[in-house]
Amino acid sequence: MSNSVEISSEESQKWNEEENIEEDGVSDENVNDTPKDKKMKGAMASLMKQMVSSKQPFYKMSLPICFSEPRSLLEKFTDMGKYFELFINASQQETEEARFLEILKFYLSSWLVQQDVRNPFNPVIGEVFSCHMEHKDGSTTHYHSEQISHHPPSSAFCYTNKKNNAIFHSYLQPTSKFWGNSFESCMDGKLIFELPKYSEEYLVDVPKIAVKGVVLGTLTTEVSGSTVLTCKKTNHTAEIEFKGKGLFKNKNFMIAKVRHPSSKKSLYTLEADWDGKINILNSKTNKTTTFFDINSFKTLDMVVPPVAEQPENFSRRVWGAVIKNINADNEEEAQAQKHLVEEAQRTQAKERIEQNNLDWTPKHFIKSDNTYIHSQLSNFKNRNFITSNFFKLLKNTIHNIRMYTSSLLRNVNKTVATFNSIRGFASKSGEIKVKFPRKYETYLCDGPANECTTTKEELITHFTDMTRMRRIEMVADSLYKKKLIRGFCHLYNGQEAVCTGMEAAITKNDHVITAYRDHTFMLARGATPESVLAELLMKSTGCSKGKGGSMHMFTHNFYGGNGIVGAQCPVGAGIAFTQKYNNTGNICLTYYGDGAANQGQLFEAFNMAKLWDLPCVFICENNKFGMGTSQARAAAGSDFYSRAHFIAGMKVDGMNVLAVKQAGKFVADWCRSGKGPFVLEMDTYRYVGHSMSDPGTSYRTRDEVNEVRSIRDPIEYVRGLLLEHKLATEDDLTAIEEAAREEMDKAAEFAINSPMPDMRELYTNVYKEEVPIRAVELDQSFRP
Ligand SMILES: Cc1ncc(C[n+]2csc(CCOP(=O)(O)OP(=O)(O)O)c2C)c(N)n1
Ligand SMILES: [Mg+2]
């Protein structure tokens, strides 16, 4: 469990009244208490008293040092690997069911042992811990872990055994709650067991651990909560329930049911209480046998690198003085040393903010969707085909193109081959052919092919452009939360492929107009991030001299930046009219949202654009929501691409930059050849809330957002192609991400340090020619 504990002072007041702590702070005596237990309870009771009298919330109080287990949480995670030998057994089983049962055994084994009642230290950001184990078969398992963030605390760890092709990893966010007489520790995140050789991935949660009797009664731990172990490939599941000590049981116990869709009844029932033995009932034979006996199993030693080889940020070095003093029973000194470590972390965090170093980048783990995976996993044999992304992508593809049967999921070789054919293959010339997972849907036209040829250069350019866009929005988000950006601010996260792919299909002489979600369009059109961020910060160096803000950005052949929903559509038609009138050969891309698609003025613009065959591409970015209203609740029909009746249209996978670009080329040619306007519907998704005041989770579930992120993320799609075809390495792509981060951080610094506009700017850019300000006497008016 972690040290961050939540409780309000009201809760504790109530608890204090109910439990009636004695004046000296020491409560009820329990005959079973060891002197150490008594000390812990006494310290806890004093803390509670102090908290009530000072009216401080509990989380602001530091837990007494006697509650600290002398090791960091990163080291404590090694408890989950103590029985790794079982995982190796799993990798050597021939049948799917046998592998599943062994993995279940490995998982359960970690919780069958009595847990320490004390808290490990909350690792400091950047802290690492590693070790290894030698196995009977001569193989080695390596364990690596790293603290990814401090607020909220989150840690990543990874066990790998190359010889047996076995991986166990996780990215966890621990939280603790205090319930008066007990602490409860929860870990958000999944434990992931991978057997790449079989393309199998197993997911499960961490049970809750409660330390009871922290003030009254006996100090014990309880494991509780229910979870399901799932193998996505074979569809085996185990519904597991951990039950703490009830009224009539004085032991933790666990019950699990193993199921498979091929059978209505459960295949096995497992039961254990905390004497370390698990029994298994086979439903077919109705026989119960011992599944696992912890007492007859020898765990392996974890070999920690010698002190001389431990880097400065290694857990045992970071916490060295604290550990030493706890072990020597020098509590006061231990507490003081712990305070020093925590204070150093706070100071560093402050410095990072001051230096505008907005995010922390882990050294050994890479962000992948919503999780962090160890950088070495990308080189792991056969692993390319096993990530959850792959299965989700595959499932999605099956659903959408209805080409594959469900048996595909059970046949690894076939699956790999299919995956290759979906994602493309490299030709000798270095070009790769990519088949699009989602087909174009067309209206009054044939549309382009559902595949394209691309190159390393093109993919790297798309990757770079989209990464820069994602990063500038992250920086905007952070600046907003620091109250440096005020007013409206709409972010584009998730939709990057639309703006990037379309820009790649046109020239800088063409024209673009959009709504208020416009920051990334500025980058696409060639504006500097400085001019965008400075505008967001209302600075004179901004693209609109700080007078427009988020919704009013302009650059060469880019007309904003429009806050009135749909208003840019007739203006876009007007810009296209100018092109036709002046015979420039250029076109205008007019973007709007699925919400704006129901606006009357759009249909007026459609009518005139077709009447005069204007070179206007109307692009509906269907991100599924208009503020908090889903497209399905706002639109009578969802066919935005065929809405213009007399104008040809096409629906495009807006998360696939290659499909967008190909569609963009097709429609640009269409418009330039004089065929008139075209309507594109981009099937895309907004990851963040509508604007900064919307958390974006009340009208859709987090799962929905996570699902899209993990299956269809536009940047991950390009990353996948580059890595799969060996056109780039993880390091190359990390370097691009680093460069984007640096560029945007520098731009933020520039914006922060820029001056505000001069007051006289209030009177400029209002009229084309300088005229007196209305309602003010000429001689009294302020003139620049
Ligand atoms: C004419 C008008 N009506 C209402 C609003 C308030 N409003 C701002 S954004 C928005 C939703 C538009 O959704 P959509 O067109 O799908 O664009 P998205 O935000 O999804 O990019 C609404 C209703 C407005 N700005 N203008
Ligand atoms: Mg929308």
Side-chain angles (χ1 to χ4, degrees), residues 516-517 563-565 593-596 599 623 625-627 686 690:
Y516 38 81
R517 217 173 283 288
I564 304 302
V565 168
D594 48 297
Q599 281 271 350
N623 61 8
F625 298 93
M627 297 180 86
R686 152 166 69 75
H690 165 73

Side-chain angles (χ1 to χ4, degrees), residues 55-89:
K55 296 211 160 59
Q56 284 264 29
F58 193 86
Y59 64 85
K60 289 207 172 156
M61 324 272 302
S62 196
L63 269 185
I65 195 80
C66 52
F67 272 87
S68 293
E69 183 185 355
R71 60 177 176 162
S72 156
L73 183 67
L74 296 181
E75 183 167 351
K76 191 178 173 90
F77 287 141
T78 60
D79 288 355
M80 285 193 249
K82 263 190 187 161
Y83 299 90
F84 205 87
E85 201 74 26
L86 296 172
F87 191 25
I88 290 185
N89 283 351

Side-chain angles (χ1 to χ4, degrees), residues 698-757:
S698 53
Y699 46 89
R700 56 184 184 177
T701 61
R702 272 181 216 280
D703 282 352
E704 177 183 314
V705 183
N706 289 342
E707 180 85 0
V708 180
R709 277 190 100 116
S710 57
I711 301 169
R712 298 182 62 205
D713 184 80
I715 303 180
E716 291 308 308
Y717 174 73
V718 177
R719 184 200 300 278
L721 286 173
L722 282 163
L723 294 178
E724 209 171 284
H725 295 287
K726 306 222 169 346
L727 300 175
T729 62
E730 282 282 4
D731 284 350
D732 296 337
L733 302 182
T734 307
I736 294 173
E737 287 164 335
E738 267 308 306
R741 169 214 279 274
E742 216 170 282
E743 182 190 9
M744 299 311 160
D745 284 355
K746 272 199 187 131
E749 197 179 323
F750 167 86
I752 290 168
N753 295 329
S754 289
M756 296 295 276

Side-chain angles (χ1 to χ4, degrees), residues 530-598:
E530 280 80 2
S531 70
V532 175
L533 291 176
E535 189 55 43
L536 285 171
L537 265 68
M538 305 161 285
K539 297 297 180 75
S540 59
T541 48
C543 58
S544 303
K545 297 187 180 174
K547 298 194 276 184
S550 169
M551 303 200 289
H552 305 106
M553 302 217 167
F554 308 93
T555 189
H556 180 65
N557 287 346
F558 178 60
Y559 306 81
N562 290 270
I564 304 302
V565 168
Q568 73 279 14
C569 300
V571 180
I575 298 167
F577 177 84
T578 313
Q579 307 316 308
K580 177 142 183 170
Y581 188 79
N582 290 337
N583 209 7
T584 63
N586 298 321
I587 63 171
C588 180
L589 306 185
T590 305
Y591 289 86
Y592 57 97
D594 48 297
N598 304 316

Side-chain angles (χ1 to χ4, degrees), residues 441-447 641-651 670 678-679:
E441 288 172 45
T442 54
Y443 174 70
L444 303 182
C445 67
D446 289 336
Y641 67 105
S642 59
R643 275 242 178 136
H645 179 39
F646 32 72
I647 304 180
M650 180 156 60
K651 184 171 176 174
W670 177 285
F678 200 98
V679 179

